Amino acid sequence: MDKKTYDFLNTWGILPEKVDMQVLCDSFLDEMKKGLQGKESSLDMIPTYVSESIKIVPGEQVIVIDAGGTNLRTCLVTFDEHFEPQITDFRKTTMPGSDREVTADEFFSIFANQVEPIIDKSDYIGFCFSYAATITADHDGIPVKFSKEIKAPQVIGTRIGRRLLEELGRRGHAVQNKRLAVVNDTVTTLLAGMAEGSRSHYGGYVGFILGTGTNTAYVEDNKEITKVSGLPSGRQVINVESGNFDSPGGKIDELFVAGTKEPDAYHFEKMISGAYLGAMSSLVLRKAVECKVLSEAFGKRFEAEGDVDTTQMSHYLEMPFNHDYKLVRCVEGNEKDAIALWHILESIIERAGKQTAANLASAVLKTDIGMDPLHPVCINADGTTYYKTAYLEKYTEYYLEQFLTKVHHRYVTFVHIDNSPTIGAAIAALGLRD
């Protein structure tokens, strides 16, 4: 890259080398410890009361509810003798509250309608609830707030598992022996890795999602969770809520975050996730025009085409000569612009990959997992941003190898398990047998 582009990226804090992985990881670890102790922290470190020692029982049928985005899904899951999940009785409907505001009674009535046809087929229910919720010691969930435009204010603060079973009981079903576990989608991603682990030899598990938003889950020793009294010996899955990490950034991050809807929250998510990478890139490109790194002609074309999203910035890096893409049209006839644009966008993604690697490294370094190369940590990574954004997966794994393995001698393996929310919720329900 030429000096002008390099100086621009350096000045605004966009260069990947501006990210010190050890410093960032140490900051992550400090926030994690404070969150576990109940001290002020940008990381909630939510206990899930889900043990790492769940045994997958072949042949045991489990009811699964998956509430995420705008869809509500239900099914039955059974693991065969090879620990492969078999999914049957699948049903899908619109998530209540996605198209209009609903009362709590309406909300749980719609859930009951979906579960009712299979409620008598198992006493174990795994409930993947992909919204902010406090998890109770008896495995219920209490919503804190709804995202993704779900409008059900009366449900906030209620025990969703209990209310669902009460509605089913009111309809005449015997629910007194039903056992239900509420978990979020990042936790189910980790648990789905355990099904893979039943066929392999992993030394630990991390769940990671990088899509519209981002989050991480890992397994912690109960003695470290001092904000909860009376925990037994053993280990449990922790929902880090890593997207809210108060990550140090550069000048461009401060400017970008200040213009977002909640400028005091989700700093880390705004630096790496799919909902924000495109918007961040749009801001950077305007600054590049102001600083004359990109031409005035580019600036006029860019304003005419409009802001880019994460997919569109990725498209340019993948196919910089495809004139169906708006950024290609913006640099048409100007090779200097084309090259500078490529370096700017690639730098944004490489930096995000390095930050992502520091996040994952902290989840491994927080405990004693991954020291044996024969038993690496299984990182089940999910999310379209991680897999579909040009170079993001590559840079994440590269920097994780350079920092976690070469420096700290910890070993990891990435997997991508389809239907992770469904599989993980089923495993959480099987944990209720213990």
Side-chain angles (χ1 to χ4, degrees):
M1 105 181 41
D2 64 29
K3 185 177 184 302
K4 194 171 186 179
T5 304
Y6 179 90
D7 288 345
F8 167 77
L9 294 172
N10 185 47
T11 298
W12 288 93
I14 305 165
L15 283 177
E17 48 260 48
K18 300 288 280 189
V19 177
D20 185 318
M21 286 194 68
Q22 189 63 62
V23 170
L24 184 56
C25 191
D26 287 344
S27 179
F28 241 114
L29 289 168
D30 185 56
E31 290 291 284
M32 292 170 79
K33 290 174 184 176
K34 289 190 292 187
L36 291 171
Q37 294 166 0
K39 298 178 180 179
E40 184 176 350
S41 172
S42 61
L43 298 177
D44 289 337
M45 304 300 288
I46 301 170
T48 65
Y49 303 96
V50 175
S51 168
E52 70 165 349
S53 58
I54 297 173
K55 295 180 180 178
I56 298 175
V57 182
E60 179 74 60
Q61 198 161 239
V62 178
I63 296 167
V64 169
I65 305 165
D66 179 9
T70 57
N71 291 316
L72 170 61
R73 305 170 183 86
T74 54
C75 64
L76 291 170
V77 176
T78 310
F79 292 92
D80 64 20
E81 64 274 16
H82 303 295
F83 303 103
E84 291 283 355
Q86 311 299 316
I87 299 173
T88 60
D89 295 74
F90 178 83
R91 302 179 75 211
K92 181 174 76 171
T93 191
T94 302
M95 182 74 181
S98 59
D99 55 351
R100 63 178 179 85
E101 184 172 311
V102 294
T103 65
D105 287 343
E106 290 176 298
F107 185 89
F108 290 106
S109 178
I110 292 170
F111 270 72
N113 290 342
Q114 284 295 107
V115 179
E116 196 167 16
I118 55 176
I119 191 59
D120 297 323
K121 295 189 177 184
S122 176
D123 283 338
Y124 298 98
I125 304 171
F127 191 158
C128 179
F129 189 72
S130 302
Y131 307 93
T134 300
I135 304 300
T136 64
D138 60 355
H139 303 283
D140 210 338
I142 302 173
V144 176
K145 66 178 180 179
F146 280 107
S147 56
K148 304 161 189 172
E149 303 301 319
I150 300 301
K151 298 171 283 293
Q154 290 183 7
V155 178
I156 302 300
T158 65
R159 285 176 168 255
I160 56 174
R162 178 186 294 176
R163 284 292 303 271
L164 174 58
L165 292 179
E166 287 174 350
E167 173 62 21
L168 290 164
R170 189 187 65 77
R171 298 183 182 195
H173 296 280
V175 296
Q176 59 272 20
N177 293 324
K178 302 294 181 185
R179 303 287 306 280
L180 185 147
V182 177
V183 285
N184 91 336
D185 52 352
T186 312
V187 175
T188 60
T189 300
L190 182 150
L191 294 175
M194 290 185 177
E196 185 76 13
S198 296
R199 301 185 291 274
S200 302
H201 300 279
Y202 295 123
Y205 299 91
V206 170
F208 176 65
I209 293 178
L210 181 52
T212 304
T214 189
N215 195 13
T216 314
Y218 77 109
V219 180
E220 182 59 86
D221 195 308
N222 282 346
K223 70 176 184 292
E224 298 292 322
I225 312 170
T226 56
K227 66 180 176 182
V228 179
S229 60
L231 289 175
S233 60
R235 295 155 71 93
Q236 67 173 283
V237 181
I238 295 292
N239 170 16
V240 176
E241 290 295 334
S242 56
N244 199 47
F245 174 58
D246 190 8
S247 180
K251 289 169 60 178
I252 199 69
D253 300 294
E254 294 173 5
L255 188 63
F256 176 68
V257 167
T260 59
K261 185 177 180 181
E262 296 179 272
D264 296 326
Y266 297 99
H267 288 180
F268 191 65
E269 186 166 284
K270 290 169 183 175
M271 297 169 82
I272 71 169
S273 76
Y276 298 101
L277 277 175
M280 164 74 85
S281 298
S282 296
L283 175 62
V284 172
L285 296 182
R286 288 192 173 91
K287 285 294 173 188
V289 173
E290 287 180 23
C291 297
K292 303 188 184 307
V293 175
L294 293 171
S295 69
E296 184 179 338
F298 173 91
K300 290 179 179 178
R301 290 173 180 174
F302 182 72
E303 293 305 325
E305 292 280 359
D307 286 1
V308 295
D309 58 23
T310 302
T311 298
Q312 290 164 340
M313 68 175 288
S314 178
H315 280 163
Y316 181 79
L317 293 173
E318 293 166 332
M319 288 183 277
F321 298 102
N322 186 335
H323 288 271
D324 290 336
Y325 296 148
K326 63 166 67 176
L327 286 175
V328 176
R329 294 194 293 271
C330 289
V331 298
E332 188 172 10
N334 189 325
E335 186 173 353
K336 184 178 178 181
D337 273 350
I339 294 171
L341 176 61
W342 193 94
H343 282 300
I344 291 169
L345 296 180
E346 196 262 354
S347 186
I348 292 170
I349 291 175
E350 183 177 352
R351 188 186 73 148
K354 196 172 184 180
Q355 292 165 323
T356 299
N359 172 16
L360 293 171
S362 68
V364 175
L365 292 172
K366 180 63 182 67
T367 62
D368 59 358
I369 58 177
M371 296 180 180
D372 181 352
L374 301 182
H375 298 87
V377 177
C378 172
I379 300 177
N380 184 16
D382 201 6
T384 53
T385 298
Y386 183 72
Y387 289 106
K388 299 295 185 182
T389 304
Y391 306 120
L392 185 54
E393 179 184 7
K394 180 190 78 171
Y395 279 128
T396 298
E397 295 194 15
Y398 168 78
Y399 282 113
L400 199 60
E401 168 77 11
Q402 295 301 306
F403 176 73
L404 188 62
T405 302
K406 300 299 185 186
V407 177
H408 291 279
H409 309 294
R410 302 289 185 100
Y411 302 88
V412 300
T413 296
F414 281 83
V415 299
H416 182 208
I417 300 171
D418 292 334
N419 300 311
S420 282
T422 299
I423 297 167
I427 294 172
L430 289 174
L432 301 175
R433 294 170 51 93
D434 300 334

